[in-house]
Amino acid sequence: MKHKKKQDSLSPAKILTFGFAIIIIIGTFLLSLGPASANGEKLDLINAFFMATSAVCVTGLVVVDPATQFSLFGELTLLILAQIGGLGFMTMGTMIALAFNRRISLRDRLVLQEAMKQNTLEGLVTLIRRVTLYSLVIESVGALLLAARWSFDMPLGQALYYGVFHSISFFNNAGFDLFGSVHGPYSGLSAYASDPFVNIVVIVLIILGGIGFIVMSDLLSYRVTRRLSLHSKVVLTVSGILIVVGALLIFVMEVFKSPDFQQLSLMDQVFASIFHSVSTRSGGVSTMSVADMQQSTQFLLLLLMFIGAAPGSTGGGIKVTVFAILIGAMYAMLRGKEDIVFFRKRLSKVSILRAITQTWLALFLVILTAMILSAIEDRTFLALLFETTSAFATSGLSLDITTKLTDLSKIILGLVMFLGRIGPLTLAYALTTPKSRKELYRYPEGDFIIG
């Protein structure tokens, strides 16, 4: 009886939190083994923890160069952790259960509902099947396209391996790359800044991973249904606006002052602007050194990372839907309207309060962490705020200071990545026991002066 009571106390939020934590612990152990290292020397536990957390939380921040530090076993471990982290361990577990004809219990469905950020249990298993199928198809196509391009630069076997690794990494918004062994440690995709084919393939992979599986399902069903859900309309509209506006601002701020940017042709400058605007969705990969960009550009990237990707996607941040609600609330207030309306649909007060709560929790976490790091590290506050935001938003863009941080700062950023992946609100639900009982009374309405 006690055992049953203990099981019942594990809410979906707690199961998600503990599940991700257990996978990170397993990943830390595997990456700290001698066979995982390229030179056979064990990676110390703190760096192994950071890399495992970065992989499971599909962040892409690194304290060691993956290509030169890890062996094939280590690289594959990193890749599997990123795949599990991107799709979600419950999604992977559900597909394994379905493969063995195991019945999906109500508890499993509730956890899946929390993981996929769904409002209903209806059609959840069907969505999971679609998510897995879409992911495999997109990753396979991406792998073949990248392998075909890189076969001109390296042996075919290596090109195929690189294609698979980077397609999975970029689609899951993990941001890991293996070009450190080809073009030098921490080089990223800098060698392909002028390659439109690689740019386009990577941009498409990041966008597809960042808009979320719900939106992808809607888009693929559009030919039959001839309709998109409100969620899909908002995600596609806001994501498109952020990418275009972000690219324009990056171009304007870099084109006149950045020496690296000025060395590129006009077309390459356009691609670089779009690439880095898209990468802030949570892609975590770059074709130019973010550390060498203007401070104004770095701050813009910071803001775009904080907004992040869509709910139910492989990306992080406060999410584009939350940002849309905040803008909608401001617009409604300035126009003297009581309701936030998108595409002729009024939003519920619960959605608005949830968005405000999530934003404040995220702001509090990022600012407090940056302040703590500034007390530990001898770095500029912008650099520390950038790394903290990148960790929370599971973006992976960096100002090249991650490898130089103290062990304590690495642990702190690892925890921030974990919080960013599961979401501050989910953690809050996991740590508390909210009462499902409806209150039988309401307090009288009060008012005070604002502004």
Side-chain angles (χ1 to χ4, degrees), residues 85-127:
L87 291 183
F89 71 93
M90 279 304 299
T91 301
M92 304 285 281
T94 301
M95 288 311 300
I96 293 171
L98 290 172
F100 287 96
N101 294 319
R102 178 179 171 271
R103 181 177 170 273
I104 308 302
S105 67
L106 177 60
R107 174 172 290 278
D108 293 336
R109 291 171 190 266
L110 289 170
V111 178
L112 285 169
Q113 181 185 13
E114 178 70 26
M116 300 300 293
K117 308 300 180 187
Q118 291 286 286
N119 296 322
T120 176
L121 292 174
E122 187 179 352
L124 206 54
V125 175
T126 302
L127 177 63

Side-chain angles (χ1 to χ4, degrees), residues 23 84 97 114 116 131 139 174 210 226 254 282 358 428:
I23 294 169
I84 294 172
E114 178 70 26
M116 300 300 293
V131 163
E139 289 172 352
R226 291 294 172 185
E254 290 295 306
S282 199
Q358 189 160 312

Side-chain angles (χ1 to χ4, degrees), residues 231-437:
H231 170 83
S232 296
K233 289 178 181 177
V234 171
V235 167
L236 291 172
T237 303
V238 177
S239 297
I241 292 171
L242 287 173
I243 289 171
V244 172
V245 172
L248 285 172
L249 290 175
I250 291 170
F251 181 85
V252 170
M253 289 188 286
E254 290 295 306
V255 72
F256 298 113
K257 291 186 177 181
S258 173
D260 293 339
F261 208 75
Q262 290 171 348
Q263 290 176 2
L264 301 174
S265 67
L266 177 61
M267 185 56 69
D268 293 340
Q269 289 173 346
V270 171
F271 268 116
S273 301
I274 297 172
F275 190 97
H276 290 88
S277 180
V278 169
S279 194
T280 58
R281 298 270 68 72
S282 199
V285 62
S286 60
T287 56
M288 298 179 64
S289 173
V290 179
D292 293 333
M293 290 182 177
Q294 304 299 309
Q295 284 194 350
S296 56
T297 307
Q298 293 170 354
F299 191 72
L300 171 66
L301 297 179
L302 184 154
L303 295 177
L304 292 173
M305 286 192 299
F306 185 76
I307 296 170
S313 73
T314 59
I318 61 171
K319 304 297 188 289
V320 292
T321 48
V322 169
F323 178 69
I325 291 174
L326 297 177
I327 296 297
M330 182 178 68
Y331 177 80
M333 181 60 66
L334 292 175
R335 295 296 298 270
K337 298 181 181 294
E338 292 186 4
D339 297 323
I340 300 175
V341 179
F342 292 133
F343 299 100
R344 298 183 180 179
K345 294 288 178 68
R346 173 174 55 86
L347 297 188
S348 67
K349 289 186 178 179
V350 173
S351 297
I352 298 168
L353 289 175
R354 188 182 176 100
I356 293 171
T357 303
Q358 189 160 312
T359 304
W360 273 113
L361 285 173
L363 272 173
F364 179 77
L365 174 65
V366 168
I367 293 172
L368 179 63
T369 303
M371 289 173 63
I372 293 172
L373 291 181
S374 67
I376 300 172
E377 304 287 339
D378 185 20
R379 308 283 174 188
T380 64
F381 188 74
L382 176 61
L384 295 172
L385 183 62
F386 191 97
E387 300 294 310
T388 304
T389 305
S390 181
F392 164 74
T394 67
S395 172
L397 293 178
S398 173
L399 298 188
D400 299 339
I401 67 168
T402 318
T403 57
K404 303 162 189 168
L405 296 175
T406 61
D407 287 347
L408 179 58
S409 296
K410 291 175 185 176
I411 293 172
I412 292 171
L413 280 184
L415 294 174
V416 171
M417 284 190 279
F418 177 71
L419 292 175
R421 181 64 183 96
I422 63 173
L425 213 51
T426 300
L427 181 68
Y429 290 154
L431 296 177
T432 59
T433 310
K435 295 179 181 178
S436 58
R437 180 171 61 88

